[in-house]
């Protein structure tokens, strides 16, 4: 029997996905062929009033409603299955729905609640969506490669077992790009995943299926992964909250990717959500299960939010925020700078907030280091996985591998050299952060250091397809292994966000990014604008608390997202 062509495999994958959607009961409503740029309102006209209410409820509120018996798990998961099916028709974000598994699980939870009068766990009945390369027993683990389509998960990933034991319901698996190394989501298996707020733009990547699904409110909490911005890019592009945790806090056993075992740039798993509380709920639940007992590489640090990480002032808490306007490599588009300025101006009025400028240190060197360590085998595994099926290289796979001058096959001495460069850079950056404080007493203990850095997530709002070619605003924090939390602020406003015709680009990368905006701002109409807070390694809790403080004080976001 001859080996199927890559086109035949892709056709099979799409048919498999479509069949899973067709099994949802009641059926997923049909979507009209003629679609507006902004698709976020369409589900409201296709679902019942109750289904709209359920799917637009924040995850922490949904858990409370389920725990109080206001909704059954079956009612909730049916609503999300139907909205997820609509989201697929509008943004191309699903690899498969799991209607049978989800309904069986939901009925079991309903029976438990009826018998015991209480939820089975802290996430009782909560629908959670999952990026496809995070393993589920007997389901695909393609990681975006045609040649891996027939790979199957031998067991559920460690993190999924923890969430399952807490009471959640898995119901949707989402798209990722070829190689997993794009800040967009396009593969030859499923095509391109698009932005809910503007169908001409990308949802981001590599967790862009999660970004689009949650942005469409076909999910309220989902799992993504991040090695260079793959949680934060889709969260930012789709107006969501997304956390890139410090390494070795969240279990990763059971996922599928190339270069398993490399430790020079550690990939992490983390949440995307419609709310900050959803992010926090995920972190507390997973870390509260003490995953380090099973996965020894994890750091045995509990989630530490019993006491405040912030200082005290006469009016309550105090916080020192460093503002990084740009990274001195690529200047952000006007909407990003406007959003950052709006947040900073409001923070200036808040008692207990100290604002300082953050001077980026050699961010171009950081990219040289991390992009030299990403593919230490010269991207041989990626190339082999692509070429095994004969599928074509996607444009952004070519960009990050073939067009990347730092992709070389490294010998042991080379790996040691770049790892030493990484550690030296981390020490230099740590010193800059330490120097924001003052030495106190005989011990030399530092006080008054910056708590968090407030900065862009990317050089613009969600870019047009195949144009996400600058990683520096996210990969910077991967090489340092700093936790980074994305949050929505506002949207592109063509009445305010104008072209800067007098700007002279600093370099070729800056020129490329500048031209994306200069050549036609109208293509970004309605796109979400997000920012990120960055903290020091293993101060994930401080970053979350800092955003809680900021949100409460200045009323983020400034625009409505669904």
């Amino acid at each position: 029997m001859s080996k199927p062509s890559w086109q035949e495999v892709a056709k099979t994958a799409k048919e498999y996905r479509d069949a899973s959607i067709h099994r949802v009961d009641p059926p997923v409503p049909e979507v009209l062929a003629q679609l507006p740029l902004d698709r976020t309102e369409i589900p409201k006209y296709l679902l019942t009033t109750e289904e709209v209410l359920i799917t637009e409820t924040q995850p922490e509120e949904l858990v409370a409603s389920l725990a109080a018996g206001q909704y059954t798990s079956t009612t909730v998961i049916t609503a999300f299955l139907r909205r997820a099916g609509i989201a697929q028709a509008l943004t191309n974000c699903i690899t498969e729905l799991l209607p049978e598994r989800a309904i069986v699980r939901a009925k079991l939870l309903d029976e438990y609640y009826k018998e015991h009068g209480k939820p089975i766990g802290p996430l009782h009945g909560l629908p959670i969506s999952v990026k496809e390369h995070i393993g589920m027993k007997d389901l695909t683990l393609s990681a975006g490669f045609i040649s891996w389509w027939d790979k199957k998960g031998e067991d559920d990933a460690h993190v999924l077992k923890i969430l399952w034991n807490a009471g959640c319901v898995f119901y949707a698996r989402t798209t990722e790009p070829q190689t997993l190394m794009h800040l967009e989501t396009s593969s030859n298996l499923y095509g391109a995943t698009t932005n809910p707020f503007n169908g001409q733009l990308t949802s981001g990547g590599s967790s862009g299926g999660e970004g689009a699904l949650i942005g469409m409110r076909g999910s309220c909490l989902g799992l993504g992964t991040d090695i260079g911005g793959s949680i934060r890019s889709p969260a930012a592009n789709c107006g969501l909250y997304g956390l890139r945790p410090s390494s070795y806090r969240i279990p990763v056993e059971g996922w599928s990717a190339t270069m398993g075992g490399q430790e020079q740039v550690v990939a992490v798993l983390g949440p995307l959500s419609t709310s900050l509380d959803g992010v926090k709920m995920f972190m507390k639940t997973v870390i509260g299960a003490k995953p380090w007992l099973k996965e020894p590489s994890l750091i045995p640090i509990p989630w530490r939010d019993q006491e405040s990480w912030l200082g005290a002032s006469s009016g309550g808490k105090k916080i020192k925020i460093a503002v990084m306007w740009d990274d001195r490599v690529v200047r952000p588009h006007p909407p990003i700078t406007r959003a950052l300025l709006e947040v900073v101006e409001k923070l200036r009025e808040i008692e207990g907030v100290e604002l300082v400028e953050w001077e980026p240190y050699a961010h171009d060197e950081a990219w040289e280091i991390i992009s030299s360590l990403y593919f230490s085998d010269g991207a041989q595994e990626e190339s082999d996985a692509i070429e095994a099926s004969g599928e074509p290289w996607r444009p952004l796979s070519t960009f990050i591998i073939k067009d990347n001058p730092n992709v070389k096959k490294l010998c042991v001495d080379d790996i040691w050299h770049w790892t030493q460069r990484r550690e030296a850079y981390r020490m230099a950056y740590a010193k800059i952060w330490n120097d924001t404080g003052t030495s106190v007493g005989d011990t030399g203990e530092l006080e008054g250091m910056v708590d968090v850095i407030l900065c862009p997530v990317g050089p613009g709002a969600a870019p047009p397809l195949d144009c996400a070619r600058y990683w520096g605003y996210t990969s910077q924090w991967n090489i340092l292994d700093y936790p980074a939390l994305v949050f929505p602020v506002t949207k592109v406003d063509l009445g305010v966000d104008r072209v800067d015709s007098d700007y002279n680009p600093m370099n070729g990368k800056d020129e490329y990014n500048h031209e994306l905006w200069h050549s036609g701002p109208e293509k970004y109409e309605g796109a979400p604008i997000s920012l990120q807070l960055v903290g020091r390694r293993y101060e994930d809790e401080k970053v979350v608390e800092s955003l809680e403080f900021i949100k409460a004080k200045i009323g983020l976001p400034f625009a409505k997202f669904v």
Side-chain angles (χ1 to χ4, degrees):
M1 185 176 179
S2 62
K3 177 181 175 182
S5 67
W6 73 264
Q7 294 96 331
E8 290 171 326
V9 175
K11 183 173 181 287
T12 299
K14 294 185 184 75
E15 289 174 347
Y16 177 85
R17 174 201 61 202
D18 294 346
S20 74
I21 295 171
H22 291 149
R23 295 196 303 272
V24 173
D25 184 32
V28 174
E30 292 290 328
V31 172
L32 296 176
Q34 295 293 326
L35 298 174
L37 283 180
D38 185 346
R39 286 96 191 260
T40 56
E41 295 293 313
I42 293 175
K44 297 179 182 180
Y45 299 100
L46 301 175
L47 299 171
T48 68
T49 301
E50 183 180 52
E51 286 171 333
V52 171
L53 179 61
I54 289 171
T55 52
E56 295 184 5
T57 299
Q58 306 286 36
E60 68 279 7
E61 297 171 0
L62 197 54
V63 165
S65 296
L66 285 157
Q70 182 179 343
Y71 297 123
T72 66
S73 299
T74 303
T75 298
V76 168
I77 200 60
T78 299
F80 274 96
L81 280 164
R82 299 187 79 222
R83 189 150 184 162
I86 296 171
Q88 161 57 28
L90 298 174
T91 63
N92 192 33
C93 58
I94 296 293
T95 65
E96 65 178 309
L97 294 183
L98 307 171
E100 295 86 0
R101 289 187 181 205
I103 294 298
V104 167
R105 169 67 166 172
K107 287 181 177 179
L108 183 150
L109 293 172
D110 289 338
E111 290 169 4
Y112 181 93
Y113 190 93
K114 185 176 181 180
E115 180 179 351
H116 298 278
K118 63 179 183 179
I120 202 169
L123 302 184
H124 179 99
L126 182 68
I128 294 182
S129 50
V130 182
K131 190 177 181 180
E132 188 267 358
H133 80 114
I134 301 171
M136 287 188 177
K137 184 175 174 59
D138 298 329
L139 299 181
T140 62
L141 275 176
S142 73
F145 295 112
I146 294 276
S147 64
W148 286 17
W149 163 248
D150 58 355
K151 288 182 65 173
K152 296 289 191 294
E154 295 181 2
D155 198 0
D156 291 338
H158 184 188
V159 68
L160 299 189
K161 291 181 179 180
I162 292 171
L163 296 170
W164 180 272
N165 289 337
C168 83
V169 182
F170 301 120
Y171 69 105
R173 307 182 76 217
T174 55
T175 53
E176 70 242 327
Q178 182 189 61
T179 76
L180 296 172
M181 295 295 283
H182 301 188
L183 290 184
E184 298 186 20
T185 297
S186 66
S187 72
N188 293 314
L189 281 167
Y190 302 104
T193 301
T194 56
N195 194 293
F197 295 88
N198 183 325
Q200 295 180 344
L201 306 177
T202 178
S203 64
S206 63
S207 308
E210 284 299 317
L213 179 64
I214 302 171
M216 288 296 308
R217 299 305 187 261
S219 174
C220 59
L221 178 63
L223 275 64
T225 56
D226 194 312
I227 198 171
S230 291
I231 289 171
R232 289 159 291 156
S233 160
N237 288 1
C238 299
L240 306 171
Y241 297 86
L243 174 65
R244 182 250 175 227
S246 303
S247 63
Y248 302 116
R249 294 206 75 180
I250 300 298
V252 299
E253 179 270 330
W255 65 12
S256 174
T258 56
M259 295 188 298
Q262 73 84 15
E263 295 185 318
Q264 280 62 51
V265 186
V266 178
V268 300
L269 191 151
L272 298 89
S273 181
T274 56
S275 75
L276 178 56
D277 281 341
V279 167
K280 187 175 180 180
M281 183 166 60
F282 171 89
M283 295 297 292
K284 291 184 72 169
T285 300
V286 175
I287 292 176
K290 298 182 179 180
W292 53 83
L293 295 177
K294 177 182 177 183
E295 207 165 314
S297 62
L298 301 180
I299 306 298
I301 303 175
W303 185 257
R304 301 156 296 170
D305 65 348
Q306 294 79 16
E307 296 181 3
S308 176
W309 283 76
L310 303 180
S313 70
S314 58
K317 296 179 180 179
K318 66 177 181 180
I319 184 172
K320 186 173 183 179
I321 302 172
V323 181
M324 190 183 86
W325 297 95
D326 68 64
D327 67 356
R328 304 293 188 264
V329 182
V330 172
R331 182 181 178 183
H333 291 164
I336 306 301
T337 302
R338 171 177 63 84
L340 186 51
L341 181 61
E342 288 177 3
V343 170
V344 167
E345 287 179 342
K346 287 184 178 292
L347 287 172
R348 290 192 199 282
E349 302 172 359
I350 305 302
E351 183 179 356
V353 174
E354 179 184 356
L355 295 170
V356 297
E357 299 285 309
W358 185 267
E359 182 63 32
Y361 169 71
H363 283 213
D364 52 350
E365 179 184 352
W367 175 249
E368 180 188 10
I369 295 169
I370 197 170
S371 61
S372 296
L373 288 171
Y374 273 142
F375 306 101
S376 57
D377 67 342
Q380 190 63 55
E381 282 200 33
E382 280 79 5
S383 299
D384 289 348
I386 293 172
E387 291 163 8
S389 68
E391 66 171 303
W393 284 66
R394 304 293 295 196
L396 291 184
S397 299
T398 297
F399 162 75
I400 198 61
I401 294 176
K402 292 184 175 182
D403 296 343
N404 183 350
N406 297 322
V407 175
K408 300 170 185 175
K409 189 169 185 177
L410 305 181
C411 66
V412 172
D413 286 346
D414 294 331
I415 293 174
W416 289 347
H417 163 77
W418 286 107
T419 304
Q420 288 174 327
R421 286 275 304 272
R422 181 196 71 188
E423 291 307 295
Y425 184 79
R426 286 178 173 181
M427 288 191 67
Y429 221 90
K431 182 180 185 304
I432 291 170
W433 200 308
N434 293 342
D435 288 347
T436 65
T438 54
S439 180
V440 177
D442 297 334
T443 63
E445 182 178 354
L446 292 170
E447 290 186 357
M449 287 187 293
V450 160
D451 291 301
V452 289
I453 300 171
L454 173 64
C455 59
V457 192
L465 300 178
D466 296 327
C467 293
R469 295 170 185 253
Y470 186 68
W471 294 31
Y473 283 99
T474 48
S475 64
Q476 174 66 27
W477 315 118
N478 292 84
I479 195 63
L480 294 170
D481 195 18
Y482 287 175
L485 177 58
V486 167
F487 58 96
V489 178
T490 186
K491 295 180 181 179
V492 172
D493 182 349
L494 298 178
V496 178
D497 300 318
R498 305 297 177 85
V499 170
D500 184 357
S501 301
D502 297 327
Y503 180 65
N504 294 314
M506 296 177 282
N507 51 60
K509 294 178 180 179
D510 194 26
E511 183 177 14
Y512 178 87
N513 183 67
H514 173 68
E515 189 60 25
L516 286 175
W517 177 260
H518 185 266
S519 63
E522 63 278 355
K523 60 179 165 286
Y524 291 92
E525 182 180 356
I529 306 172
S530 303
L531 299 173
Q532 68 180 329
L533 283 183
V534 178
R536 302 194 77 160
R537 195 181 192 198
Y538 297 121
E539 292 190 353
D540 307 55
E541 296 91 339
K542 178 188 274 192
V543 176
V544 172
E545 184 184 354
S546 296
L547 185 53
E548 288 176 330
F549 175 87
I550 292 169
K551 275 175 57 66
K553 293 296 184 180
I554 68 174
L556 287 168
F558 302 148
K560 184 176 182 292
F561 295 88
V562 183

